[in-house]
């Protein structure tokens, strides 16, 4: 009996979209990064992820992936360390035998008015948020170019799209990621590598949990959908951009902000 094509399509759509793919996710012991790791594992991928200091949180991420049927590899690393980025790529390939792409999510905040900002507040944020993207992309790009395939997703922010008061350092780093994404997308398109960015708005993470009541009220008032996003809503988009379903999308910055920047 001939199978209904709609039923066949439904079965295909339920299959893991990233089965046996291998990815690196930076800054993934909690928040958006952890949600991305868990989503990739749910879609059949093998994942190594980095964390800076929170070993307990990193272990929780490892344990959560075990319950999902796959054990992720946790690697302690400073995103701003180029040599360590090379080691992350090498360790991932040694563990899983290949590398299919990466998600640059590691980031920090040092919010201050510019008049009060110290040079270290600027350099620390640029080093982690922007140089960290360069470090891992540079460490991985030759492998991806040689195999003529790959997916790169860089997590930027709406602060890099429209700017944010008291965040000149953070906004500059995130705007830099957008420019980096566009330039690299053009550079490696001929090698069948796509490079895209995701710009989240207010997402319910540890960062937004520390906002005071006045800023929370103002944020909700300015978001047309009237709520903060969930980490999983960013993670599902990241998984899509890492999959074959996004093969004709590159150099783009997809905003996930509930309409905040409209």
């Amino acid at each position: 009996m001939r199978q209904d094509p709609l039923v066949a399509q439904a079965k295909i759509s339920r299959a893991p979209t990233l089965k046996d793919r291998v990815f690196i996710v930076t800054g993934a012991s909690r928040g958006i990064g952890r949600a991305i790791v868990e989503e990739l594992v749910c879609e059949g991928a093998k994942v190594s992820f980095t964390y800076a200091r929170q070993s307990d949180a990193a272990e929780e991420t490892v344990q959560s992936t075990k319950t999902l049927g796959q054990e992720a590899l946790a690697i302690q690393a400073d995103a701003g360390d180029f040599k360590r980025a090379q080691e992350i790529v090498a360790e991932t390939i040694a563990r899983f035998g290949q590398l299919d792409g990466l998600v640059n999510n590691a980031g920090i905040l040092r919010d201050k008015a510019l008049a009060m900002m110290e040079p270290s507040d600027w350099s620390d944020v640029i080093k982690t948020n922007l140089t960290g993207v360069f470090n891992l992309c540079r460490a991985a790009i030759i492998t991806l170019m040689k195999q003529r395939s790959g997916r790169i997703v860089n997590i930027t922010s709406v602060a890099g799209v429209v700017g944010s008061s008291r965040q000149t350092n953070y906004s500059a780093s995130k705007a830099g990621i957008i420019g980096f994404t566009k330039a690299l997308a053009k550079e490696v398109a001929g090698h069948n590598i796509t490079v895209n960015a995701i710009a989240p708005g207010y997402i319910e993470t540890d960062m937004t949990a520390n906002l005071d009541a006045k800023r929370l009220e103002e944020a909700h008032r300015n978001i047309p959908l009237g709520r903060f996003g969930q980490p999983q809503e960013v993670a599902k988009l990241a998984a899509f951009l890492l999959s074959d379903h996004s093969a004709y999308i590159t150099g783009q910055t997809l905003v996930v902000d509930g309409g905040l920047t409209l």
Side-chain angles (χ1 to χ4, degrees):
M1 180 182 296
R2 184 178 180 183
Q3 189 175 36
D4 186 325
L6 293 178
V7 173
Q9 180 61 40
K11 289 182 178 179
I12 292 172
S13 66
R14 287 197 297 270
T17 60
L18 299 171
K19 183 173 175 56
D20 297 328
R21 304 282 178 89
V22 176
F23 300 104
I24 296 170
V25 182
T26 66
S29 62
R30 55 200 174 97
I32 291 173
R34 176 173 173 172
I36 292 173
V37 170
E38 293 173 343
E39 182 66 22
L40 299 187
V41 168
C42 284
E43 292 297 335
K46 300 173 184 177
V47 182
S48 65
F49 71 91
T50 72
Y51 66 98
R53 290 174 297 276
Q54 296 186 325
S55 57
D56 290 345
E59 179 57 28
E60 289 177 7
T61 301
V62 170
Q63 292 303 319
S64 73
T65 62
K66 284 183 178 179
T67 65
L68 296 171
Q70 182 69 260
E71 182 176 359
L73 173 64
I75 303 174
Q76 186 170 21
D78 174 2
D81 186 335
F82 177 65
K83 181 179 179 181
R84 191 71 181 112
Q86 293 176 307
E87 293 170 347
I88 292 165
V89 171
E91 289 176 34
T92 300
I93 294 174
R95 173 69 174 270
F96 298 118
Q98 67 192 62
L99 178 64
D100 298 292
L102 53 97
V103 179
N104 287 298
N105 174 71
I108 61 171
L109 293 169
R110 295 285 187 275
D111 293 355
K112 287 181 183 177
L114 183 62
M116 302 298 292
M117 190 174 290
E118 299 293 335
S120 60
D121 296 323
W122 173 271
S123 59
D124 288 351
V125 169
I126 296 296
K127 179 182 178 183
T128 297
N129 297 7
L130 182 55
T131 304
V133 173
F134 162 80
N135 287 342
L136 195 55
C137 286
R138 175 62 180 83
I141 201 65
I142 292 176
T143 295
L144 301 181
M145 289 174 68
K146 284 182 177 178
Q147 68 195 26
R148 299 191 64 79
S149 67
R151 298 280 187 270
I152 297 173
V153 175
N154 299 319
I155 306 300
T156 178
S157 167
V158 294
V161 177
V162 298
S164 181
S165 177
R166 298 179 61 86
Q167 287 191 321
T168 53
N169 50 1
Y170 186 76
S171 295
S173 71
K174 293 301 186 176
I177 290 172
I178 293 173
F180 179 95
T181 297
K182 292 178 179 180
L184 186 59
K186 288 185 176 181
E187 186 173 319
V188 299
H191 295 272
N192 194 33
I193 300 168
T194 64
V195 189
N196 291 290
I198 298 174
Y202 286 101
I203 306 297
E204 288 191 3
T205 65
D206 291 348
M207 285 186 179
T208 56
N210 294 324
L211 295 176
D212 59 52
K214 182 179 179 181
R215 191 169 178 184
L216 279 172
E217 181 182 355
E218 180 183 2
H220 280 96
R221 187 170 62 250
N222 291 330
I223 299 171
L225 286 182
R227 66 174 178 87
F228 284 8
Q230 296 298 314
Q232 293 78 11
E233 292 175 299
V234 179
K236 288 185 179 298
L237 177 56
F240 168 74
L241 291 173
L242 293 170
S243 75
D244 292 338
H245 297 311
S246 66
Y248 201 55
I249 301 173
T250 196
Q252 303 303 307
T253 299
L254 285 78
V255 179
V256 184
D257 69 351
L260 176 65
T261 56
L262 291 175

